Amino acid sequence: MGGKVNTVLSLVAALIDRSNRKKARKRINLLNEQNRNIQMLGSSTTEHIIPSNYQMGNISISGGTTDIRNALIIQNCKQSVSLGVPTIIIHEGNYLLEQLLQSTFSNHRYLRIINPNNPYYEPLFRLSDMEIGHFISDSSLKEHKIGSNGALYVSALSTILRKKGITPYTRMFANCPHGSINNLIVNMENSGIISANEADKLRNEVLLGIKEQAEVEYFFQQTELESPILAWKSNLSKCTSVSECILRNGIMSLDISSCGNQNQLSLISTEINNCKRTGTQFRIIVDAVSFYGNDKLIQVLKNTSGSASWTISSPDIDCMLGNTPGELATWLALSHRAILFSHGIKTCELLSAELGEYEHIDVVESHAGNNNIGRIGYHYGANSSFSTSEKRKRVIKPEEIESLESNEFIMLDNYTATISKGTLV
């Protein structure tokens, strides 16, 4: 009888012990999830991810399909429109995005789709002669830098064009007869178009910049070769620019064809930088344009002030940044919100590291005893032990990012320091 009682008591004690351990494990698992702190959003629309009535800072979108990224860009544009913020989109041949912009914002007050079939981009629009000189100097690449004297030379060319009744525009400079500028000045003076003092001033400016004439010629000729979106003389009446779009509180899409067209992209980047100085709020969206080698664009975006915000969208943000060590961390840190979809394992590893770690509690259970019927009854794990240890673990493992379905995403919000998971519907 006593042996049976001992057996029952031993079994009950073992069951209680097992129940307590299960409860402890459950509490520890719950604590781990709390430490991991991932918010589950469930099914989410683009409106949930980028709310129309909420002003956002910089946004990074990476991974996923073209359709998903386009949908998020369109929602970003809707957000800007609802808040009265002008938007400039720079992309490489994203015709589907152009179609979506056209269908979504066809009734907008100022929508311009600029591409090789609609070549209406003219950054010199509304600039004075002196401003044109400085603008071209600022736009020139460091390998063919145009200095202050070169800026004076360009300014003089612009003045000559205006005096002859020609509106200065980029393609015109590319075909300017640089070798006969002094003859032009003489003829204009003789015909009374300019005074003797004006002629002397122009000659001095041309003389100062003559050493940089070759760089000026190279810049305009190379830019014309690279940029099929530049306005022609015949359509100057329809031309536009980044500054014009911002002035009219509009939306403009610029198809740069290739990120390798560095003079063209430098021209656009310089205009964006000049617009930042006005203090007018606007957003720049850069879609699938490689930053590698485009230093001016990188600096313009990295140094955005309170008036300008950016959105970058790419199939792979690390590739977009040229796989440069440390750049991914920098751009994610600059982002108000990062929306991440499935990637290749290399980028997943980098993203996982940037999404941080948490304190994870591991449970270790050991059994030193044995289960048998002894002299005083049944013994269940008499000498088992239960211990815990803490170690740092990734909040999101690389394989978790890699295994996301095409419409599943992970979102990092740097303003609230939260990471969320959801499904885009």
Side-chain angles (χ1 to χ4, degrees), residues 74 78 99-108 111:
I74 292 297
K78 288 180 180 178
Q99 291 171 11
L100 287 170
L101 287 167
Q102 191 70 60
S103 61
T104 307
F105 302 104
S106 58
N107 295 322
H108 193 272
L111 172 67

Side-chain angles (χ1 to χ4, degrees), residues 57-60 283-284 301 304 308-312 331 334-335:
N58 304 326
I59 300 172
S60 293
R283 178 173 290 275
I284 299 295
L301 295 181
T304 50
S309 301
W310 50 256
T311 298
I312 57 175
W331 288 90
L334 290 171
S335 302

Side-chain angles (χ1 to χ4, degrees), residues 353-364:
E354 294 306 322
L355 291 174
E357 298 178 337
Y358 72 103
E359 205 70 44
H360 182 86
I361 302 172
D362 270 343
V363 177
V364 180

Side-chain angles (χ1 to χ4, degrees), residues 55 77-88 105 107-112 126 240-252 275 280-283 307:
Q55 180 63 54
C77 292
K78 288 180 180 178
Q79 180 192 60
S80 295
V81 168
S82 70
L83 296 169
V85 177
T87 304
I88 311 297
F105 302 104
N107 295 322
H108 193 272
R109 66 173 71 86
Y110 193 81
L111 172 67
R112 301 300 301 268
R126 293 186 183 275
T240 188
S241 62
V242 171
S243 58
E244 184 70 12
C245 178
I246 293 171
L247 182 67
R248 291 174 177 263
N249 196 12
I251 301 171
M252 184 166 71
C275 291
T280 304
Q281 196 170 30
F282 65 96
R283 178 173 290 275
S307 62

Side-chain angles (χ1 to χ4, degrees), residues 153-357:
Y153 178 78
V154 173
S155 177
L157 295 181
S158 181
T159 301
I160 291 169
L161 289 172
R162 286 192 207 275
K163 292 291 185 180
K164 289 180 68 65
I166 301 170
T167 301
Y169 62 101
T170 308
R171 288 189 188 275
M172 182 68 204
F173 282 107
N175 296 283
C176 182
H178 295 275
S180 57
I181 293 299
N182 283 314
N183 291 335
L184 280 173
I185 295 172
V186 170
N187 292 337
M188 290 167 66
E189 182 183 4
N190 290 339
S191 60
I193 295 175
I194 58 175
S195 66
N197 288 337
E198 288 175 321
D200 287 341
K201 181 175 181 295
L202 288 172
R203 272 190 285 266
N204 287 336
E205 289 175 349
V206 169
L207 183 62
L208 284 170
I210 201 71
K211 290 182 179 179
E212 297 192 56
Q213 179 184 321
E215 299 297 1
V216 171
E217 288 189 61
Y218 173 84
F219 176 83
F220 283 111
Q221 290 172 5
Q222 189 64 27
T223 300
E224 186 181 41
L225 285 172
E226 291 181 5
S227 188
I229 62 174
L230 286 172
W232 294 85
K233 182 180 179 180
S234 59
N235 60 19
L236 281 178
S237 61
K238 297 180 182 179
C239 75
T240 188
S241 62
V242 171
S243 58
E244 184 70 12
C245 178
I246 293 171
L247 182 67
R248 291 174 177 263
N249 196 12
I251 301 171
M252 184 166 71
S253 165
L254 288 165
D255 178 5
I256 63 167
S257 299
S258 169
C259 61
N261 296 333
Q262 292 187 359
N263 281 273
Q264 173 187 243
L265 200 50
S266 181
L267 207 67
I268 296 169
S269 300
T270 301
E271 194 182 5
I272 293 169
N273 196 48
N274 288 349
C275 291
K276 282 164 48 182
R277 296 170 185 163
T278 67
T280 304
Q281 196 170 30
F282 65 96
R283 178 173 290 275
I284 299 295
I285 298 176
V286 182
D287 175 55
V289 175
S290 175
F291 285 9
Y292 185 73
N294 292 304
D295 297 339
K296 198 173 292 293
L297 178 63
I298 292 171
Q299 292 307 313
V300 166
L301 295 181
K302 275 187 176 180
N303 297 321
T304 50
S305 59
S307 62
S309 301
W310 50 256
T311 298
I312 57 175
S313 171
S314 171
D316 189 312
I317 187 172
D318 189 51
C319 290
M320 184 181 192
L321 300 172
N323 303 115
T324 307
E327 282 296 284
L328 179 62
T330 299
W331 288 90
L332 287 181
L334 290 171
S335 302
H336 170 179
R337 184 164 288 183
I339 306 157
L340 310 170
F341 296 88
S342 179
H343 290 74
I345 190 60
K346 180 188 174 186
T347 302
C348 289
E349 174 62 39
L350 295 172
L351 290 171
S352 172
E354 294 306 322
L355 291 174
E357 298 178 337

